[in-house]
Amino acid sequence: AGEWARVHIGGMFQQYLNDFLSKIPWFDVTVGCNVFMFLLEMVLEIMQNRKIRASVKDPENYSLLPMTFSRVESTFGFICECLVMSSGLLVLCWNATNSYLGDKGYGIAYQLTRGVSYIFVVSFFSSLVRAPFELYRVLILEPYRDGRLWGTLVHMASDQIKMFLVSFIVGVPLLSATLSLLYWDF
């Protein structure tokens, strides 16, 4: 009798939880949290910039230029995130990844492979969006500070390769573990 009660009470709780969660407007919650975090970061950055500007004697000082650039980069990133979320590009990317992997023989049984592939595709496109800002930082801001361009370009390329390798070596096992917990049937 105890097993029967546990199964039925668990099933009723799961049904109640599913009904409750299905009524939450997740898209609006996600966008609202995104807006809140963007505004909080912007206010904190403006407060920090005011303190730094008050302490700097020379208004032509190089250290003030990256602060303005950082604010522009953050705003552009926020606008891109909102456009991507509202346009359905993430769903399109998910469907394209699943279609491609399905054609290669990775069916529904390969959920981890599909999930990890999707995250890497989204990360790749995110890197493409950030590339102009990274190039501006490397080609304009860095040489302005120390006058060297070639070393900065080599440094940028090596940083990108190292970042990819570390995210692959560390990210794939962690992402696989997280996804396996999500796909795990209780």
Side-chain angles (χ1 to χ4, degrees):
E3 180 69 23
W4 180 87
R6 186 183 66 78
V7 169
H8 284 290
I9 291 173
M12 289 180 355
F13 177 74
Q14 185 176 8
Q15 181 63 38
Y16 173 75
L17 185 63
N18 286 342
D19 291 343
F20 173 74
L21 292 177
S22 68
K23 294 177 184 170
I24 296 176
W26 290 109
F27 178 76
D28 296 336
V29 170
T30 303
V31 171
C33 289
N34 200 4
V35 168
F36 173 76
M37 289 307 297
F38 170 74
L39 292 176
L40 179 65
E41 288 176 5
M42 193 60 67
V43 166
L44 292 174
E45 187 175 336
I46 289 171
M47 289 171 47
Q48 181 183 20
N49 288 349
R50 283 184 182 165
K51 285 184 179 182
I52 292 173
R53 286 183 192 277
S55 68
V56 173
K57 307 289 186 246
D58 180 20
E60 298 295 321
N61 191 333
Y62 163 78
S63 64
L64 301 177
L65 185 61
M67 292 187 305
T68 304
F69 175 71
S70 174
R71 199 172 311 137
V72 170
E73 185 178 15
S74 298
T75 304
F76 182 78
F78 169 72
I79 292 169
C80 284
E81 286 174 8
C82 289
L83 288 174
V84 165
M85 285 190 297
S86 63
S87 67
L89 283 175
L90 293 175
V91 175
L92 179 69
C93 189
W94 173 257
N95 291 337
T97 304
N98 280 339
S99 175
Y100 176 77
L101 290 174
D103 292 345
K104 297 296 180 192
Y106 295 99
I108 195 70
Y110 294 92
Q111 291 176 337
L112 290 178
T113 304
R114 289 172 175 234
V116 170
S117 300
Y118 170 72
I119 296 295
F120 273 108
V121 167
V122 170
S123 296
F124 173 75
F125 285 121
S126 176
S127 297
L128 289 180
V129 170
R130 286 192 316 265
F133 293 102
E134 188 66 26
L135 285 173
Y136 180 80
R137 184 179 292 112
V138 167
L139 297 176
I140 304 299
L141 295 180
E142 293 296 324
Y144 182 74
R145 185 177 70 189
D146 59 13
R148 297 179 319 192
L149 178 61
W150 177 251
T152 308
L153 287 174
V154 171
H155 184 70
M156 182 188 113
S158 69
D159 280 351
Q160 293 296 320
I161 291 169
K162 285 187 258 182
M163 186 171 50
F164 171 76
L165 289 174
V166 167
S167 66
F168 187 78
I169 292 169
V170 174
V172 170
L174 289 175
L175 187 58
S176 297
T178 304
L179 289 174
S180 65
L181 286 174
L182 292 174
Y183 293 136
W184 187 19
D185 288 332
F186 292 100

